[in-house]
Amino acid sequence: MTSGQSSTYRIVAIPGDGVGPEVVAAGRRVLDAIGDSEGFRIDWTEVAAGGNAIDRFGVAIRPDDVALCGAADAVLLGAVGGPKWDDPKAAVRPEQALFALRGGLGLYANLRPVTVHPALVGSSPLRPELLDGVDLLMVRELTGGIYFGERAEASGPPGQRSASDSLPYTEAEVRRIVRLAFELARGRRKAVTQVDKANVLATSRLWRLVTDEVAHEFPDVSLEHRLVDSTAMLLVTRPADFDVVVTENLFGDILSDEASVLAGSLGMLPSASLGERQTAHGTFGLYEPIHGSAPDIAGQDIANPIGTILSTAMLLRWSLGLPEAALAVERAVSSALDDGLRTRDLMPEHAALAAHLTPLGTVAMAGAITDRLGTRAGAGAR
Ligand code: IPM
Ligand code: MG
């Protein structure tokens, strides 16, 4: 906590495209309110990234703006992309902003916690009994592997075209993310699942080797190696069995979207991308909901702001060193859900089930959560 002194934290907001500006506004509102009640201030700077930055500056994010982000205590990002900039062959694409931030700021660890709020069990397509006890943390390597390996675009005459993507990993890249996964498991149920395709890929066999070495440093944490295909199946048949799942960039991308189905809506889930840089308050990081820019619902005040608001809780915990404030945000979200407040994505299809719930827009949901920041009741999600 702030021990009675008034602190100021520097946070860069990147609204981005689509629903990004709406959800980032919701996140800022909650952070400013928790600052008011806990006695700290946030000094906000706004940076353009994604399609809107391409329109204004011709690049997905300007290098100076990446540097500005890197000098802050934390970054809160909405989402980037949209149909206007969707040509996969374009030289300049909105996603390049994400890679410039992740790679440029060394944010190698992407944490995606997945929990199921009891009130939302009915919103998931999975049977309720499968969701009982789901509380997993996906730890995705974010600055290596096939995302950052060499790429050769398709070339050659029609009928003989070829392309390639390479998937490199160094021992050091694997070791630091696996070690973080073990450390995080220590504060949870002490079980790590390392996911790969070791029956095919050389890089996966390196992951196994290094993970076994790291495991020796953590005798109190259990480890299982699992192939990515069987993990994909188990995530929807026995999701409660997983505690910490650690894996490479591409597998983590795919499995985390799959795991998000457990929570009832993609709109619920937060993420943190962390590197090695320590600030005076904690670990520098970038926080964003795991949903995309959802251009089809942009500007209509219907996007679910909870993924972003829960990302601000991760920001408070990791980058500002304020775990109590983080819990207060998580409890406020739980309390709003317990009270039957729902954005559109969380509304059950059946009228009978929806009858006792209150539909809210983005702004009203953020307001309801802000109003509940003082509540100490409710089951805080992690
Ligand atoms: C994610 C997204 C990005 C990724 C896309 C937008 C490039 O899917 O953050 O999971 O693949 O990393
Ligand atoms: Mg993804």
Side-chain angles (χ1 to χ4, degrees):
M1 298 310 296
T2 50
S3 359
Q5 300 154 328
S6 163
S7 312
T8 300
Y9 302 105
R10 286 171 311 141
I11 304 184
V12 172
I14 305 184
D17 306 313
V19 298
E22 296 167 75
V23 295
V24 165
R28 286 179 66 155
R29 179 169 174 186
V30 169
L31 277 177
D32 283 335
I34 195 94
D36 286 346
S37 66
E38 306 276 333
F40 64 83
R41 250 198 83 244
I42 293 174
D43 178 2
W44 292 98
T45 308
E46 206 165 293
V47 153
N52 67 91
I54 294 176
D55 288 349
R56 282 167 67 191
F57 311 119
V59 287
I61 186 166
R62 295 179 297 178
D64 283 357
D65 284 339
V66 175
L68 202 68
C69 290
D73 291 316
V75 178
L76 180 66
L77 186 145
V80 297
K84 185 175 170 195
W85 312 278
D86 240 7
D87 175 8
K89 284 194 264 168
V92 180
R93 297 174 44 75
E95 295 77 21
Q96 289 163 345
L98 300 178
F99 305 138
L101 288 163
R102 293 171 182 175
L105 302 179
L107 303 173
Y108 68 89
N110 184 221
L111 312 187
R112 297 183 167 183
V114 179
T115 53
V116 184
H117 189 281
L120 297 182
V121 164
S123 304
S124 170
L126 267 71
R127 291 199 307 276
E129 63 270 26
L130 291 178
L131 298 171
D132 196 26
V134 168
D135 178 5
L136 68 90
L137 176 64
M138 194 70 71
V139 179
R140 168 188 175 192
E141 200 291 322
L142 202 60
T143 52
I146 205 161
Y147 275 66
F148 288 83
E150 273 179 34
R151 225 176 291 296
E153 298 296 332
S155 64
Q160 291 172 41
R161 282 168 295 193
S162 67
S164 72
D165 300 279
S166 65
L167 197 178
Y169 266 113
T170 65
E171 169 170 0
E173 285 174 320
V174 177
R175 194 175 300 278
R176 64 182 177 180
I177 186 84
V178 169
R179 192 170 273 147
L180 177 66
F182 273 92
E183 276 161 9
L184 292 170
R186 264 194 176 148
R188 300 172 46 98
R189 302 200 308 280
K190 298 189 171 55
V192 169
T193 305
Q194 180 255 316
V195 176
D196 59 34
K197 189 71 185 171
N199 50 352
V200 180
L201 302 176
T203 39
S204 287
R205 292 189 280 272
L206 175 69
W207 271 75
R208 280 202 183 195
L209 206 75
V210 173
T211 303
D212 283 335
E213 287 169 12
V214 172
H216 287 129
E217 300 165 28
F218 298 86
D220 52 323
V221 177
S222 74
L223 165 67
E224 67 165 350
H225 301 286
R226 194 167 275 292
L227 297 172
V228 64
D229 44 359
S230 101
T231 306
M233 178 190 67
L234 290 175
L235 270 176
V236 285
T237 52
R238 289 176 18 212
D241 288 1
F242 293 99
D243 180 17
V244 174
V245 177
V246 62
T247 190
E248 63 148 83
N249 207 338
L250 181 61
F251 296 159
D253 177 47
I254 298 167
L255 293 179
S256 60
D257 265 32
E258 186 191 2
S260 76
V261 170
L262 306 167
S265 165
L266 202 55
M268 288 296 297
L269 293 179
S271 78
S273 301
L274 307 172
E276 262 149 23
R277 187 166 81 81
Q278 299 296 312
T279 68
H281 320 290
T283 304
F284 170 75
L286 179 148
Y287 302 83
E288 57 179 317
I290 83 152
H291 65 73
S293 61
D296 51 322
I297 61 163
Q300 298 173 44
D301 191 39
I302 53 178
N304 184 350
I306 293 179
T308 307
I309 290 171
L310 291 175
S311 298
T312 69
M314 295 185 86
L315 185 159
L316 288 161
R317 183 174 287 122
W318 280 94
S319 288
L320 304 190
L322 300 171
E324 293 294 330
L327 261 180
V329 171
E330 288 161 349
R331 287 186 178 127
V333 167
S334 287
S335 147
L337 294 170
D338 288 340
D339 291 346
L341 310 183
R342 298 286 187 277
T343 43
R344 208 178 68 164
D345 54 311
L346 301 174
M347 276 308 229
E349 276 171 28
H350 296 292
L353 291 174
H356 63 288
L357 299 171
T358 309
L360 290 185
T362 313
V363 173
M365 180 59 103
I369 292 168
T370 307
D371 290 345
R372 286 166 173 76
L373 283 173
T375 355
R376 285 288 177 262
R382 193 163 323 137

